[in-house]
Amino acid sequence: MEKGQNLISGNWLNSKSEDIIHLTNPSDGDNFASIPRSDANDIDLAAKSARQAFEKHWSKTPAFERGKYLQKISYKINESIDELAFIESKDTGKPLKQSKVDAQVAARYFEFYAGAADKIHGEVIPSQYGINSFTKREPHGVTGHIIPWNYPLQMGSRTFAASLAAGNCIVIKPAEEACLSVLKIANFALESGLPPDVINIVTGYGEEIGPYLCKHSDIDHVCFTGSPEVGSIVQQNAALNNKSCTMELGGKSPHIVFSDCDLESAMPVILNSIIQNSGQTCSAGSRLLIDENVKEKFLSIFIDKFSKLMVGSAEMDLDMGPLISETQKNRVISFYNKSKDENIPILASGSISKNVSKNGYYVNPVLIGPVPVDSVLAKDEIFGPYLSMIPFSNEEEAISIANGTDYGLTAGVWTKDGSRQMRLANSLKCGQVFINCYGAGGGVEIPFGGMKKSGFGREKGMEGLKELTVCKTIVQKFN
Ligand code: NAP
Ligand code: MG
């Protein structure tokens, strides 16, 4: 059985407690690896290691040198796409082709932030003669990162690379359901010559060690991705030491389809955005808002495409893999049951291959509708392959429905009318608006993050670096 370990000061270690957690392959339910079930002592060691690294050498390392390490890690990832994809698929259950994309994106994050490390500029501010005022962006010092199980490779890489580029040392707590790819990337970092105390990783249960990480006095800023409920707990713990946070908390993102749109190009994008990673994507397009005038035409083709979707193990590499865990499967089934209780019609569903293991966590993708706007199926994040169709009769109504949830992460707008595109872009309360396209979470270079309960702060692109630095103002008097 494979064995993951904590990484503290460059040493791969078991937890002081010697407890372990078994990792499960979602495709067949097998226990195939173990990781440490860490405790507060391990968090303390990791935070102290990162703090020392920052004080002793990392804060004095030139920005372009930091970038060079990141570039080397990116090369290592690019040389190991298949190996990383295999690990990610075994750990998360996602089809191999998707894990390969995730590995390529992981390499891009390191490449992007390698180039960005020496381009984090301040400003000179004109004030009065004899006064020189300027700002510089300084690293927080030590950043703590709580990474979810849905995209460990991508999310681990984006937060890891950006924070090191900004000049911080880091402590990472990956999700216990899927963390092996994050450990592998850390190993690449060590092989690339990154000073070993700069990156520290502690595995374990979020409930048990998360609070220690969030309130630890050696950690200056917390980056969290996960549910709004846990995000709120993270903020409360961080507040005990008055530290800042970045919160990425999911969504209930709409596709808004108008009758004048190019249906053929819209359909595959809309379909992919709900089945990618079995719907376990914060920016999944989980609501299909559709103009009454085009509803019948759209659905007649879309239902056919949806019904052909095939679900199988990660190795079978079909349209969709299993969900991450039994817990997540039960959560999604509870939403199926709610839609039955509400008598919402099932318009289409896919098929699970007969060759899958009975012990895997498989569910069928489902298209339901019309869904009443006040139903939980129209408002709650399901985090599964569950698409709610909601018709609308005019633009104003479409905007009102789109904005009618607690979330505000992303939205897709499908129309050829340029003025309408801009009206929608301005009216939608969310962090990203895609017009006649939709990228789950957008690209490496594009700022990403939410409004309302989808969180605050931005990741990705140059904007993400702002969160990982603090602005210092320097005012110099001269004669
Ligand atoms: P979650 O409970 O919010 O967990 C996210 C991360 O927080 C994990 O690393 C988790 O660790 C950690 N955590 C749990 N309790 C903590 C605490 N008290 N203090 C600090 N960290 C803590 O999410 P989940 O259970 O994995 O999934 C539940 C729902 O959250 C999903 O159905 C979905 O709606 C949402 N979600 C959203 C995203 C997103 O990308 N926005 C990602 C994941 C989940 P452990 O895993 O080790 O417990
Ligand atoms: Mg797993």
Side-chain angles (χ1 to χ4, degrees):
M1 192 186 279
E2 288 170 50
K3 190 174 165 204
Q5 288 180 302
N6 289 337
L7 176 62
I8 299 174
S9 282
N11 300 308
W12 292 103
L13 301 171
N14 296 334
S15 165
K16 291 263 169 216
S17 70
E18 291 293 332
D19 276 355
I20 57 163
I21 299 169
H22 290 288
L23 298 187
T24 309
N25 180 343
S27 292
D28 57 20
D30 276 359
N31 287 338
F32 70 100
S34 71
I35 50 166
R37 179 177 174 176
S38 305
D39 61 21
N41 292 320
D42 303 301
I43 291 285
D44 193 43
L45 282 177
K48 289 203 162 91
S49 160
R51 169 62 56 194
Q52 270 200 16
F54 181 75
E55 304 295 347
K56 279 197 176 156
H57 58 88
W58 194 242
S59 55
K60 301 173 186 97
T61 303
F64 71 90
E65 293 285 355
R66 300 199 300 264
K68 279 188 192 169
Y69 291 122
L70 299 179
Q71 187 66 60
K72 283 187 199 155
I73 301 171
S74 139
Y75 292 148
K76 290 239 171 230
I77 297 174
N78 267 326
E79 284 163 7
S80 314
I81 297 292
D82 287 342
E83 187 191 359
L84 281 167
F86 181 77
I87 293 171
E88 192 79 331
S89 282
K90 207 166 181 184
D91 218 357
T92 64
K94 57 181 86 175
L96 274 167
K97 54 179 170 266
Q98 197 185 322
S99 294
K100 279 187 191 166
V101 172
D102 287 0
Q104 284 155 357
V105 175
R108 275 286 296 130
Y109 278 116
F110 279 94
E111 188 180 54
F112 179 88
Y113 286 112
D118 56 0
K119 295 165 193 73
I120 306 171
H121 300 155
E123 290 178 330
V124 176
I125 300 156
S127 55
Q128 50 186 285
Y129 184 78
I131 296 285
N132 177 23
S133 313
F134 62 98
T135 61
K136 60 195 285 261
R137 299 215 68 97
E138 294 193 346
H140 290 284
V142 178
T143 50
H145 304 254
I146 299 174
I147 301 171
W149 42 259
N150 52 348
Y151 290 87
L153 244 182
Q154 278 206 43
M155 291 193 192
S157 297
R158 85 182 184 208
T159 193
F160 173 163
S163 195
L164 292 190
N168 300 291
C169 294
I170 57 182
V171 179
I172 297 179
K173 198 226 71 80
E176 93 281 344
E177 283 102 337
C179 60
L180 295 179
S181 60
V182 177
L183 298 177
K184 189 77 192 169
I185 300 262
N187 201 36
F188 287 160
L190 297 184
E191 288 172 6
S192 304
L194 184 79
D197 43 2
V198 162
I199 161 171
N200 299 272
I201 305 187
V202 181
T203 65
Y205 290 115
E207 283 175 45
E208 292 180 358
I209 54 174
Y212 293 106
L213 183 144
C214 297
K215 63 188 172 199
H216 199 286
S217 55
D218 277 321
I219 292 179
D220 303 299
H221 176 87
V222 179
C223 300
F224 175 80
T225 303
S227 59
E229 295 75 24
V230 177
S232 179
I233 296 169
V234 165
Q235 288 174 72
Q236 290 172 47
N237 282 314
L240 294 174
N241 268 322
N242 297 308
K243 61 188 72 166
S244 53
C245 301
T246 308
M247 289 281 138
E248 205 274 82
L249 305 177
K252 186 74 176 175
S253 300
H255 282 288
I256 309 167
V257 179
F258 289 95
S259 57
D260 67 340
C261 87
D262 178 351
L263 291 183
E264 265 193 35
S265 59
M267 277 188 211
V269 179
I270 294 172
L271 190 59
N272 184 56
S273 80
I274 189 60
I275 59 160
Q276 180 177 317
N277 202 25
S278 306
Q280 303 164 121
T281 303
C282 42
S283 54
S286 52
R287 289 185 293 158
L288 171 60
L289 274 51
I290 184 145
D291 192 332
E292 290 279 14
N293 294 320
V294 75
K295 192 180 90 180
E296 294 311 319
K297 187 174 171 196
F298 182 98
L299 287 179
S300 67
I301 309 168
F302 193 71
I303 284 174
D304 186 48
K305 288 183 191 296
F306 204 102
S307 307
K308 291 191 175 118
L309 291 171
M310 286 297 301
V311 185
S313 67
E315 300 78 45
M316 290 163 88
D317 216 4
L318 304 177
D319 301 308
M320 230 184 74
L323 298 173
I324 188 75
S325 62
E326 184 84 43
T327 312
Q328 195 63 13
K329 181 174 169 183
N330 290 336
R331 179 183 156 91
V332 171
I333 289 172
S334 77
F335 279 97
Y336 286 129
N337 293 337
K338 278 180 198 160
S339 66
K340 260 196 225 156
D341 295 345
E342 289 189 31
N343 292 318
I344 301 172
I346 293 178
L347 300 173
S349 60
S351 316
I352 301 173
S353 162
K354 292 191 173 56
N355 300 324
V356 300
S357 160
K358 290 200 167 42
N359 300 324
Y361 311 127
Y362 298 95
V363 295
N364 245 327
V366 173
L367 169 67
I368 56 163
V371 176
V373 289
D374 54 355
S375 162
V376 289
L377 287 314
K379 288 184 177 286
D380 286 13
E381 183 179 46
I382 299 172
F383 232 55
Y386 208 111
L387 181 57
S388 297
M389 189 278 289
I390 308 170
F392 65 83
S393 51
N394 58 53
E395 186 181 308
E396 204 182 6
E397 191 188 9
I399 294 169
S400 158
I401 298 171
N403 287 336
T405 75
D406 286 343
Y407 290 100
L409 192 57
T410 55
V413 176
W414 298 90
T415 174
K416 286 183 187 147
D417 179 338
S419 294
R420 174 173 273 163
Q421 291 168 2
M422 277 299 109
R423 287 196 298 273
L424 268 284
N426 287 326
S427 307
L428 292 170
K429 292 191 176 63
C430 59
Q432 282 187 329
V433 178
F434 293 94
I435 299 167
N436 293 330
C437 62
Y438 196 80
V444 169
E445 312 81 356
I446 303 168
F448 176 65
M451 294 185 185
K452 304 194 283 183
K453 278 200 178 172
S454 291
F456 52 83
R458 293 292 174 264
E459 292 186 276
K460 304 188 179 186
M462 297 301 284
E463 196 71 28
L465 290 173
K466 286 193 189 155
E467 307 291 331
L468 294 161
T469 54
V470 277
C471 172
K472 180 181 273 179
T473 306
I474 299 167
V475 183
Q476 177 193 29
K477 190 169 185 310
F478 63 94
N479 297 315

